[in-house]
Amino acid sequence: MAFNFGAGAAAANPSTLSTPGFGTATTTAAPTGFGFGTTNTGAFGGFGTTTTSAAPGSTFSFATPSNTGGGLLFGNNQNKGFGFSSGLGTSTTGGTGFGTGLGGGGLGFGGFNLPPTQPQQGGLFGQQAQAPAQSNQLINTASALSAPTLLGDERDAILAKWNQLQAFWGTGRGFFNNSIPPVDFTQENPFCRFKAVGYSCIPGSKDEDGFVVLALSKKEADVRSQQQQFVESLHKVLGGNPTLSINVEGVKTLPDDQTEVIVYVVERAPNGTSKRVPSSTLFSYVEQPNVKAQLQQLGVVVTVTRNAFSPAQLKQLLQNPPAGVDPIIWEQAKVDNPDPEKLIPVPMVGFKELLRRLKIQEQMTKQHQTRVDIIASDISELQKNQATTVAKIAQYKRKLMDLSHRVLQVLIKQEIHRKSGYAIQVDEEHLRVQLDTIQSELNAPTQFKGRLNELMSQIRMQNHFGAVRSEERYIVDADLLREIKQHLKQQQDGLSHLISVIKDNMEDIKLIEHGLHDSVHMRGGKLS
């Protein structure tokens, strides 16, 4: 339900505004969208009479009105700005300045929802006539927010605050004068607070690529399992022409259990050549009412093209701030663009647009995480393959060394067999002399062989001592050792003191025994 400031007949009969309305009876109305069921007209004062069926003469009624013409009824119009099903008097204006572009499916980059070009009647005079209309709209908005003159008393200040709240919220109607129609507050008004600027990727595909994006109200798994049936059904929707073939470029998950399918159509000519149908041509065809109805039966909820902007279009979009966005904020957003070549500032107006982008971001984060997990598993697999390859390379090196030795032995035997019966040649004699010299150097006691024997002896000695000293040895720190000694000394002193005490006690016990023995003898002598 929309807010109803109980003034349905006040606008038609201004004389009723002079009646304060105190002391009128309390009436009960049916609950509205905000749950305001009971209206006490004597509690706040009168905004005038209203012609509602629940409370005639009610002054501040939230009840459902029976007469929506005139008065302070903050419209029950349908606007999808913030997604409120009732209340807060949404206006008839659709769109959000930049627009959701691809609808609630959240297909990423949307259009700027630029206003359609209106025919200019009267040439230059028609263009000049628009300026006073905009000026009057601005003046009316300022009057509704700052100085309404509807009631002529202190209640106008309350009405101004209520109009400010509606303007900040971006919905409702602002009443400020009995003779002037109310101002419709939309999310495009400059006073709306629920606005922000984000960034979206600039599409890179061309019209010649023929890509058309279809958003299906199905999960990705269902779409992939039924992809062939979907392509055949789509081919029938396009007329079943045998010269046309439908190809799927990609399938991607969207929020709210939706799936994005990118398709393009290839047309084959009788001479054997083929070309892609431009995306604008294909989009125009699927947007026809009868074709669109058939696509909806297949589960298609949104159809859109995603073509790149021309330099002129991109310049126009950047130079003209979207409706309701402060030019200063828009200029700052362009300056803060992290990558102007790939990103473009996008206004986010309303909670639904913010929620849509949040869902898209969460979905992209999941996809990135999935891709990172796949890359991590691929890296792990590559590391395993690398370790296996390194082991095989080492194995092949050893095998190559063995084969080299075997080949060398075969060559030696072959050379001996070939040279058998021939006299030693001069070069072979020189080679024999060099080999004898090397052998003598190796066998010299002070040369390589002697050193090698010495090293072998030292290695054997170290192995022998290592076997004897196989037990581990512990080294105690000097301070810790001093503390241990002091502790043991204190223990020894305590034991010595205890021993001395025991000795003293033993001597005392002996004296006691000796005294008892003497007393027993003395008593025995007296008795005798």
Side-chain angles (χ1 to χ4, degrees), residues 140 163 263 340 363 424:
N140 294 341
N163 291 338
V263 298
Q363 188 68 35
I424 298 176

PDB file of all heavy atoms in Angstrom, residues 140 163 263 340 363 424:
ATOM      1  N   ASN A 140       9.903  23.280  -8.861  1.00  0.00           N
ATOM      2  CA  ASN A 140       8.882  22.537  -8.121  1.00  0.00           C
ATOM      3  C   ASN A 140       9.516  21.579  -7.121  1.00  0.00           C
ATOM      4  O   ASN A 140       9.034  21.434  -5.991  1.00  0.00           O
ATOM      5  CB  ASN A 140       7.994  21.770  -9.095  1.00  0.00           C
ATOM      6  CG  ASN A 140       7.165  22.693  -9.971  1.00  0.00           C
ATOM      7  OD1 ASN A 140       6.973  23.865  -9.641  1.00  0.00           O
ATOM      8  ND2 ASN A 140       6.680  22.176 -11.096  1.00  0.00           N
ATOM      9  N   ASN A 163       8.738  15.128   2.342  1.00  0.00           N
ATOM     10  CA  ASN A 163       9.165  15.190   0.948  1.00  0.00           C
ATOM     11  C   ASN A 163      10.673  14.975   0.821  1.00  0.00           C
ATOM     12  O   ASN A 163      11.149  14.326  -0.122  1.00  0.00           O
ATOM     13  CB  ASN A 163       8.775  16.536   0.331  1.00  0.00           C
ATOM     14  CG  ASN A 163       7.279  16.674   0.159  1.00  0.00           C
ATOM     15  OD1 ASN A 163       6.551  15.677   0.106  1.00  0.00           O
ATOM     16  ND2 ASN A 163       6.795  17.906   0.077  1.00  0.00           N
ATOM     17  N   VAL A 263      25.518 -17.728 -28.029  1.00  0.00           N
ATOM     18  CA  VAL A 263      25.331 -18.457 -29.281  1.00  0.00           C
ATOM     19  C   VAL A 263      25.624 -17.531 -30.451  1.00  0.00           C
ATOM     20  O   VAL A 263      25.608 -16.295 -30.320  1.00  0.00           O
ATOM     21  CB  VAL A 263      23.887 -19.013 -29.387  1.00  0.00           C
ATOM     22  CG1 VAL A 263      23.601 -19.985 -28.270  1.00  0.00           C
ATOM     23  CG2 VAL A 263      22.864 -17.881 -29.387  1.00  0.00           C
ATOM     24  N   PRO A 340      41.213   2.545 -17.763  1.00  0.00           N
ATOM     25  CA  PRO A 340      40.258   3.162 -18.694  1.00  0.00           C
ATOM     26  C   PRO A 340      40.131   2.425 -20.020  1.00  0.00           C
ATOM     27  O   PRO A 340      39.125   2.585 -20.712  1.00  0.00           O
ATOM     28  CB  PRO A 340      40.821   4.577 -18.891  1.00  0.00           C
ATOM     29  CG  PRO A 340      41.698   4.821 -17.703  1.00  0.00           C
ATOM     30  CD  PRO A 340      42.268   3.489 -17.350  1.00  0.00           C
ATOM     31  N   GLN A 363      29.648 -14.717  -7.626  1.00  0.00           N
ATOM     32  CA  GLN A 363      29.714 -15.775  -8.627  1.00  0.00           C
ATOM     33  C   GLN A 363      31.073 -15.781  -9.323  1.00  0.00           C
ATOM     34  O   GLN A 363      31.670 -16.847  -9.532  1.00  0.00           O
ATOM     35  CB  GLN A 363      28.592 -15.587  -9.656  1.00  0.00           C
ATOM     36  CG  GLN A 363      28.442 -16.737 -10.630  1.00  0.00           C
ATOM     37  CD  GLN A 363      27.954 -17.998  -9.947  1.00  0.00           C
ATOM     38  OE1 GLN A 363      27.157 -17.929  -9.020  1.00  0.00           O
ATOM     39  NE2 GLN A 363      28.446 -19.131 -10.390  1.00  0.00           N
ATOM     40  N   ILE A 424     103.793 -52.526 -35.534  1.00  0.00           N
ATOM     41  CA  ILE A 424     103.366 -51.327 -34.808  1.00  0.00           C
ATOM     42  C   ILE A 424     103.782 -50.113 -35.606  1.00  0.00           C
ATOM     43  O   ILE A 424     104.944 -49.967 -35.989  1.00  0.00           O
ATOM     44  CB  ILE A 424     103.985 -51.301 -33.404  1.00  0.00           C
ATOM     45  CG1 ILE A 424     103.503 -52.502 -32.599  1.00  0.00           C
ATOM     46  CG2 ILE A 424     103.637 -50.012 -32.696  1.00  0.00           C
ATOM     47  CD1 ILE A 424     104.120 -52.616 -31.239  1.00  0.00           C
TER      48      ILE A 424
END
